[in-house]
Amino acid sequence: MKLEELNKEYDKLQLEYGAKELDSIYSGGCINNPDICFVFMNPTGRNIASLKSWNGPKSPWIGTKNIWTLFHELELIDDNIFWEIRSKSGKEWTPEFANTVYDNVKKHKFFITNLGKCTQIDARALNDEVFYKYLDLLRKEIEIVNPKVIILFGNQVSSIFLQEKISVSQVRKKEFNKKINGKNYRCFSVYYPVGNGFFNVDKAIEDIKYIINNIN
């Protein structure tokens, strides 16, 4: 199975669990054995790529700012790209610029995805049952991309993916192993660094730097 085939399945689930007027947001970045796969929760309408009129990549965080600050602090995005992101409003992103940003993500060998691909109008909470509808598809996505390390953001995403109750504050820098189709993947749970979790962004950066320094 290829990522494009998974995207068709995500589109079906968008009709059931997402905002009907918005499109699914898939993934983006290095798709061939990246150093890190970052797994967030689910996209919102703040991502300009969710608009049906958008004809560029349907990748996470397009048209937003805060998460790119995190990646810049981690030295995972070039200075010139970051400052251009900071200078633009969401509506000023073009498909060409989105491709430029994600080419830079690819250059730095990481992959960005969400557990749930169902775009919501706002940052409303989704219950576990919705995320579980996406779990098998995410496992297939990870199997295709084959990252060295998986970083899971927040308690809910971590608990569902690892299939055990996770409190990020109690497992900082702790490595988990998740077997997918016979292969073990190294996983870490970190604080969710955007929205209501932004006050924990420094802890997220600290833990991710530790993980990056210990990938090999």
Side-chain angles (χ1 to χ4, degrees), residues 47-83:
N47 187 329
I48 194 172
S50 66
L51 297 176
K52 293 189 177 297
S53 58
W54 176 264
N55 59 4
K58 298 281 186 179
S59 296
W61 304 111
I62 291 175
T64 69
K65 294 183 188 291
N66 285 346
I67 199 62
W68 302 107
T69 301
L70 172 89
F71 292 138
H72 185 248
E73 287 290 325
L74 295 169
E75 299 182 357
L76 293 178
I77 192 165
D78 291 347
D79 290 345
N80 62 317
I81 300 294
F82 172 69
W83 291 116

Side-chain angles (χ1 to χ4, degrees), residues 157-175:
V157 169
S158 300
S159 297
I160 290 171
F161 185 80
L162 295 172
Q163 296 286 274
E164 60 179 281
K165 185 67 175 176
I166 298 293
S167 174
V168 171
S169 62
Q170 297 178 22
V171 296
R172 294 181 65 188
K173 303 182 179 72
K174 177 180 177 180
E175 182 173 330

Side-chain angles (χ1 to χ4, degrees), residues 34-152:
D35 290 337
I36 304 172
C37 168
F38 290 103
V39 183
F40 293 91
M41 294 177 69
N42 62 282
T44 74
R46 287 191 60 206
N47 187 329
I48 194 172
S50 66
L51 297 176
K52 293 189 177 297
S53 58
W54 176 264
N55 59 4
K58 298 281 186 179
S59 296
W61 304 111
I62 291 175
T64 69
K65 294 183 188 291
N66 285 346
I67 199 62
W68 302 107
T69 301
L70 172 89
F71 292 138
H72 185 248
E73 287 290 325
L74 295 169
E75 299 182 357
L76 293 178
I77 192 165
D78 291 347
D79 290 345
N80 62 317
I81 300 294
F82 172 69
W83 291 116
E84 190 168 355
I85 289 172
R86 294 300 300 176
S87 72
K88 291 182 181 294
S89 70
K91 293 180 180 179
E92 290 176 323
W93 281 59
T94 63
E96 292 74 21
F97 181 61
N99 281 319
T100 297
V101 171
Y102 268 92
D103 284 344
N104 202 247
V105 172
K106 188 183 302 181
K107 168 189 168 183
H108 287 274
K109 296 202 69 179
F110 67 103
F111 179 76
I112 308 173
T113 192
N114 289 288
L115 170 53
K117 307 310 195 277
C118 48
T119 309
Q120 307 294 320
I121 293 294
D122 52 27
R124 69 192 64 186
L126 294 179
N127 60 43
D128 288 359
E129 286 72 22
V130 173
F131 284 119
Y132 271 109
K133 298 292 183 180
Y134 287 87
L135 184 56
D136 284 343
L137 293 172
L138 178 62
R139 288 170 178 154
K140 291 176 183 176
E141 190 174 312
I142 287 169
E143 188 178 353
I144 293 167
V145 174
N146 191 31
K148 294 179 182 176
V149 168
I150 299 169
I151 293 180
L152 306 158

